Amino acid sequence: SAPKWANFNDLFARDCEAAGVKAAAGERLGLHSLRRWFITWAIRSSDLATAQRLARHGNPALTAKYADPSDADLKRGLSGMPEIKKKSG
């Protein structure tokens, strides 16, 4: 007999339909959508190494592929950079 979770993709699709959740135009809604969301938020609230462990990835490059930083995330990343002043004279 198949494990209880073997039909998880079907269950996920039915739950999304029941909740009225639909993919954006040209996009596919699936389990990897959740993974992308989870990893993006894990990185936003901690760091890449922590997100990697939570995602059970063996390589940080794989975790980074799932991250979807927003413009605000990128600006926040630059906000800690030291100010560069133009040298006078």
Side-chain angles (χ1 to χ4, degrees), residues 3-42:
K4 186 176 184 178
W5 49 266
N7 64 347
F8 195 76
N9 286 322
D10 293 336
L11 293 171
F12 179 73
R14 282 186 277 169
D15 287 346
C16 286
E17 185 177 339
V21 175
K22 296 181 181 180
E27 297 290 325
R28 181 180 167 272
L29 186 61
L31 296 175
H32 276 82
S33 302
L34 291 176
R35 195 157 186 79
R36 179 174 294 281
W37 176 87
F38 173 77
I39 290 170
T40 297
W41 282 99

Side-chain angles (χ1 to χ4, degrees), residues 14-81:
R14 282 186 277 169
D15 287 346
C16 286
E17 185 177 339
V21 175
K22 296 181 181 180
E27 297 290 325
R28 181 180 167 272
L29 186 61
L31 296 175
H32 276 82
S33 302
L34 291 176
R35 195 157 186 79
R36 179 174 294 281
W37 176 87
F38 173 77
I39 290 170
T40 297
W41 282 99
I43 290 172
R44 283 181 183 162
S45 62
S46 59
D47 55 42
L48 179 62
T50 301
Q52 177 189 347
R53 288 190 65 192
L54 291 170
R56 298 180 180 160
H57 287 162
N59 183 322
L62 177 59
T63 308
K65 286 175 74 172
Y66 281 95
D68 192 18
S70 66
D71 287 345
D73 294 329
L74 299 175
K75 287 178 185 177
R76 193 170 39 256
L78 291 174
S79 68
M81 298 292 291

